[in-house]
Amino acid sequence: MFLLLRRAIVKWWSSAPWLTLCVLLAALYVFGYAMMRWKEPASNPIRSLSTYTYFFVVTVATVGYGDVVPLSLAGRLTAGAIAIGGIGAAAVALGQIFSSIGSYVRRREKGLLGFDMKGHIVIFGNRGAETAALIRCLIADQQSSGTAIVLCSHSTEQNPFPDFIDFVRGEPTSADVLTRARVKDAGKIIIHAGTDYESISIALAVKEINQSAPIVVRANDPGKEVDIERVDRNRVVCIKAVDVPMIVREIHNPGITQVLENLLSSQGQDLRCLQVPGGDHKFSFGLLAHNFREQHGAILIGMRPAGNALNSGSILNPGFHAVVEGGMFLDYISQRPINIDWVKMRRTTAS
């Protein structure tokens, strides 16, 4: 009989611990008030419901000011029972609170919780060190500052960066993972899957619930890039090279990888450089850039000190009044190499 009662109490407590605790305290409160009304002298103010309630609270809280006390033996025994019950209730409550906090932290680190956020970055897949480098780059990037990041992966057991990102564990294409990661409200999507077929599946799943976020995919096979981008030609961009910073650039600046690919291709515009003749030539970079654009259809983007062109540090997009001297190297973008009449240039743009 005792074992059955014990099992029933344990089952009741495990199913509703806070309700059980409140019921026990309420029973102690009612029992204590009944004893005070029954055993305490009529002159003792503790018989008043309001005064007894005050006494019960300070006793359960183990404060015990001593301004209201029972006078009878039965009343004092009851007060002792209330004090012991209060200490037990406090210990149980604190234990339950810490247990709940610990359970929440463990579930969060294991990716079992859901999140409520908008405009965040969702990363699908974990490629080990490469994905870790991607996350570090996103955290350090100024454009990602303050933006929440959620990693979704079925092969990762716990959050690799618990202090910086959130984690959802499960099959990336499942409705549960897409819901818990709030993909429908995400601002940017990165697909870092192990295979291109998985990338296509994830991109299709994302497309169904998010109609606006740009999707950057780490392509594994160059032959599959067309198939991946066919999912949504307006939003899906494949990064061909294993270049983590390039993924970060693309997610914040949609289409930038195409610009860089065009610059590095053998057709169209290209990055070029030329050297300013030696001597006492001095030019304003801003005026020089204007002349490059107007007279030669070229875009001047930077300059390098005179000396060894390979070892000199490049200064990209310097100020308008930056001084370009003889012997320095100029970096520019144009369809073909340009020839500069430096004597004429000096007459028109010399600073």
Side-chain angles (χ1 to χ4, degrees):
M1 184 66 180
F2 175 75
L3 290 176
L4 292 176
L5 180 61
R6 181 176 178 273
R7 289 176 182 175
I9 294 174
V10 170
K11 183 178 180 181
W12 184 24
W13 172 260
S14 61
S15 62
W18 291 109
L19 177 60
T20 304
L21 185 63
C22 291
V23 169
L24 292 176
L25 285 175
L28 187 62
Y29 174 84
V30 172
F31 168 77
Y33 182 62
M35 290 297 295
M36 297 302 176
R37 290 287 297 181
W38 181 31
K39 293 296 184 178
E40 286 301 302
S43 60
N44 194 340
I46 202 171
R47 289 168 54 89
S48 166
L49 181 60
S50 59
T51 303
Y52 167 75
T53 301
Y54 162 76
F55 166 78
F56 181 84
V57 171
V58 297
T59 303
V60 166
T62 68
V63 175
Y65 293 117
D67 51 346
V68 179
V69 295
L71 301 177
S72 66
L73 178 61
R76 290 175 178 176
L77 291 175
T78 302
I82 293 174
I84 295 173
I87 295 173
V92 171
L94 287 175
Q96 187 65 30
I97 290 173
F98 288 129
S99 176
S100 298
I101 293 175
S103 176
Y104 174 82
V105 172
R106 288 192 298 271
R107 286 173 58 81
R108 186 184 183 93
E109 290 185 354
K110 291 183 177 296
L112 303 177
L113 299 180
F115 303 97
D116 185 12
M117 56 184 67
K118 292 184 179 181
H120 53 294
I121 300 173
V122 179
I123 303 174
F124 286 99
N126 188 350
R127 300 172 66 95
E130 188 180 333
T131 302
L134 169 63
I135 293 172
R136 292 191 190 97
C137 196
L138 281 170
I139 294 171
D141 188 80
Q142 291 183 350
Q143 288 182 278
S144 303
S145 178
T147 303
I149 301 173
V150 180
L151 173 67
C152 300
S153 172
H154 66 278
S155 60
T156 306
E157 294 186 358
Q158 64 180 26
N159 192 338
F161 296 92
D163 295 331
F164 300 101
I165 69 171
D166 294 307
F167 173 53
V168 172
R169 186 177 183 183
E171 188 63 35
T173 56
S174 68
D176 173 62
V177 169
L178 296 173
T179 300
R180 288 193 287 127
R182 298 289 291 186
V183 173
K184 70 173 184 178
D185 295 321
K188 299 175 177 67
I189 307 292
I190 298 176
I191 300 178
H192 221 228
T195 67
D196 291 326
Y197 292 106
E198 186 179 3
S199 296
I200 293 173
S201 300
I202 296 172
L204 287 170
V206 170
K207 181 183 177 182
E208 288 184 357
I209 61 175
N210 188 311
Q211 307 298 322
S212 59
I215 303 172
V216 178
V217 182
R218 157 66 162 88
N220 297 280
D221 181 2
K224 295 296 180 182
E225 292 169 4
V226 175
D227 295 331
I228 297 174
E229 293 181 347
R230 189 180 291 137
V231 172
D232 190 334
R233 298 187 184 279
N234 295 322
R235 291 194 292 156
V236 178
V237 175
C238 286
I239 303 299
K240 301 177 179 63
V242 183
D243 187 359
V244 168
M246 185 64 69
I247 295 177
V248 176
R249 291 191 192 103
E250 178 64 35
I251 200 67
H252 291 305
N253 308 278
I256 197 67
T257 54
Q258 296 180 8
V259 175
L260 294 177
E261 288 173 8
N262 289 335
L263 288 176
L264 298 176
S265 68
S266 59
Q267 301 176 349
Q269 303 289 331
D270 201 355
L271 283 169
R272 308 177 190 278
C273 76
L274 56 80
Q275 186 175 21
V276 180
D280 59 351
H281 299 292
K282 287 189 177 181
F283 304 94
S284 164
F285 183 87
L287 296 177
L288 204 60
H290 178 74
N291 185 275
F292 267 53
R293 182 60 185 164
E294 293 296 321
Q295 301 299 324
H296 305 282
I299 302 174
L300 187 60
I301 62 172
M303 62 185 191
R304 284 174 279 162
N308 190 328
L310 298 180
N311 297 327
S312 58
S314 176
I315 304 174
L316 292 177
N317 193 26
F320 186 91
H321 297 291
V323 177
V324 178
E325 299 179 342
M328 296 182 69
F329 295 89
L330 298 175
D331 300 314
Y332 66 98
I333 301 171
S334 70
Q335 190 168 4
R336 60 184 64 86
I338 62 176
N339 293 315
I340 303 294
D341 185 343
W342 291 104
V343 176
K344 182 178 179 180
M345 178 77 74
R346 187 175 183 180
R347 290 199 302 267
T348 56
T349 66
S351 57

